[in-house]
Amino acid sequence: WGALAWPLNTMGTLGFSANVLRVAPFASYDNSNQRTGNVSAQDLALTFGYAHNVQWPTPLSLGGNIKYLNSRLAGYRSQAAAVDLGALWELYPDKKMENRLKVGAAVRNFGQKMSFIDEAFPLLMSFAIGSSIQGPLLHAYRGNYIFQLDTVVPNDRSPYIGLGAEVGVLDMFAI
């Protein structure tokens, strides 16, 4: 796997990533549970992305990815294309990093179905929306806090909520 990001000054940022998962050959069996030999498997994802920060009326970051997906199993191959889109809006920007509220949304893996032989299956698509607030701790502790809340709606199971928190102290430690 590997990734590369290329900042374009005021024009945004381009990105590229390649992910490969390959497993050692493993035993294969037929419908009557008789061993038929070994098979191999490999997955590949190539992603091209672009993001841009717009100052309207407060910072708004927009971005997207185009993905090529390829999967091989036992001599069969499946491929698909997918798109990710996201936005992050900073509602109350503060140059001193005090009381920053952000709201974001993303759609992941919107794309074609993948199919092996006769069976097609949708990509694991999801929609997420979330927010975070960041602010300073008491000045004696020279630190900050971040609280976040996400709601994720995947296409393969029930929606769920994620909560998170981080506290930084003395500008050195974070929990």
Side-chain angles (χ1 to χ4, degrees), residues 1-132:
W1 52 264
L4 173 69
W6 184 13
L8 302 173
N9 296 325
T10 61
M11 298 299 295
T13 301
L14 288 175
F16 171 76
S17 71
N19 294 289
V20 178
L21 173 64
R22 183 179 299 153
V23 297
F26 54 93
S28 65
Y29 297 87
D30 64 15
N31 290 343
S32 60
N33 208 25
Q34 298 298 312
R35 186 167 175 167
T36 60
N38 290 326
V39 296
S40 61
Q42 176 180 310
D43 289 325
L44 167 71
L46 300 175
T47 304
F48 297 94
Y50 175 75
H52 186 67
N53 190 11
V54 179
Q55 298 295 323
W56 170 87
T58 61
L60 174 65
S61 299
L62 303 171
N65 293 321
I66 297 173
K67 296 190 266 190
Y68 168 74
L69 308 169
N70 182 306
S71 189
R72 289 189 293 163
L73 175 64
Y76 295 99
R77 181 176 156 179
S78 180
Q79 55 189 2
V83 173
D84 300 334
L85 298 172
L88 179 64
W89 187 20
E90 195 167 336
L91 296 173
Y92 299 107
D94 186 338
K95 302 287 185 201
K96 294 185 273 183
M97 298 275 297
E98 294 182 8
N99 303 318
R100 294 171 58 179
L101 177 63
K102 296 180 181 182
V103 176
V107 175
R108 297 182 202 102
N109 289 330
F110 180 75
Q112 303 170 314
K113 290 183 177 182
M114 293 192 76
S115 60
F116 280 103
I117 310 172
D118 298 349
E119 292 188 48
F121 55 93
L123 297 176
L124 299 177
M125 188 176 81
S126 67
F127 172 74
I129 187 166
S131 63
S132 72

